[in-house]
Amino acid sequence: MSDPMEFTDYLQNPGFDVPDDLRGQLTITTLDRIYNWGRRSSVWPLMFGLACCGIEMICTAASRYDLARFGMEIMRPSPRQSDLMIVSGTVTKKMIPQIVRLYNQMPEPKYVMAMGACASGGGPFKEGYNVVSGVDKFVPVDVYVPGCPPTPQALLNGLIKLQEKIDRQSIRRTRWYSPGAAEPIPIPILGPDLLDPRDFPKLKANLTAQTQPEEAAVAVAEAQAGEEDPGPDA
Ligand code: SF4
């Protein structure tokens, strides 16, 4: 439809009857597109920064780069009013329980961006005694922004990628309208080291194997026997 007149004709005659008094005032679109357009144009980030990357995030919100162009300038101090968690900085083991708690408190639909090398994979502190090797070990990350630190332009590019991701979502398949979807993530426990409650069954099995090897061997043998025996209904 390279001819502008042809395009105008298409708008006026979209393939079904439009009453004369509505011609030129009616726009046809899909529910997905209008739903995603509303969400992608008002993504409110949660306001917190963890380290040096946080300074770049603050610059991005200032006048020179102007997040308001994307409808994202309203950084909220409460997770309950936020759509996007920008994890900007080094994620320490001491901080990750708070990050997971904040993530759980955000309402759906919610998104996570790992800003910088530290949040994405530990960065220069990877495998340090006090640092988590990537926030995605605990919360689902939607967009990674590389750099140490990423520039404001890189963060803006990541935000545009998030908008593109939102554009591709469909209201029929979103997890927040699926039954039983919004299970909170178990909050890690900081003791002598960080413990993830999701690893407890594995940790318990390892502990049993070390402290009670005979009982562990019996349990393994029983489990193997159960797998081999197909049962009376087979
Ligand atoms: S990625 Fe670099 S700039 Fe960002 S928090 Fe880590 S060390 Fe600082």
Side-chain angles (χ1 to χ4, degrees), residues 50-54 56 88-90 115-119 122-125 147-150:
L50 294 177
C52 5
C53 277
E56 299 296 321
S88 54
T90 317
M115 179 185 177
C118 283
F125 312 109
C148 178

Side-chain angles (χ1 to χ4, degrees), residues 94-196:
K94 192 172 181 181
M95 188 54 78
I96 193 70
Q98 280 62 256
I99 292 177
V100 174
R101 183 176 289 114
L102 289 172
Y103 176 81
N104 286 340
Q105 289 175 351
M106 290 169 67
E108 293 277 13
K110 55 187 170 186
Y111 303 93
V112 177
M113 177 180 290
M115 179 185 177
C118 283
S120 301
F125 312 109
K126 187 174 173 65
E127 294 176 4
Y129 74 97
N130 63 333
V131 170
V132 172
S133 295
V135 74
D136 57 0
K137 302 265 189 305
F138 293 90
V139 294
V141 172
D142 298 283
V143 178
Y144 296 85
V145 180
C148 178
T151 57
Q153 293 93 330
L155 178 57
L156 288 179
N157 187 54
L159 294 171
I160 292 169
K161 291 287 171 216
L162 178 67
Q163 289 188 320
E164 290 171 1
K165 179 169 184 171
I166 293 174
D167 284 340
R168 290 194 299 272
Q169 291 185 314
S170 168
I171 199 168
R172 285 165 300 166
R173 295 192 296 272
T174 49
R175 66 173 181 265
W176 49 92
Y177 291 136
S178 305
E183 287 295 322
I185 296 174
I187 295 176
I189 299 163
L190 182 62
D193 202 352
L194 195 64
L195 295 175
D196 187 339

Side-chain angles (χ1 to χ4, degrees), residues 13-87:
N13 303 291
F16 43 86
D17 289 339
V18 175
D20 286 341
D21 54 344
L22 288 181
R23 289 191 179 237
Q25 304 174 40
L26 192 68
T27 300
I28 308 294
T29 187
T30 62
L31 182 60
D32 273 344
R33 190 151 182 203
I34 199 88
Y35 176 67
N36 291 339
W37 172 77
R39 295 189 305 119
R40 57 120 59 197
S41 307
S42 59
V43 176
W44 291 359
L46 180 57
M47 186 166 60
F48 76 103
L50 294 177
C52 5
C53 277
I55 303 298
E56 299 296 321
M57 186 183 71
I58 293 164
C59 290
T60 313
S63 55
R64 179 164 183 169
Y65 298 99
D66 192 13
L67 270 180
R69 289 179 292 162
F70 303 92
M72 298 180 182
E73 76 278 20
I74 308 181
M75 291 211 175
R76 304 309 299 168
S78 164
R80 300 183 198 283
Q81 300 168 348
S82 305
D83 308 297
L84 170 65
M85 173 183 269
I86 303 176
V87 183

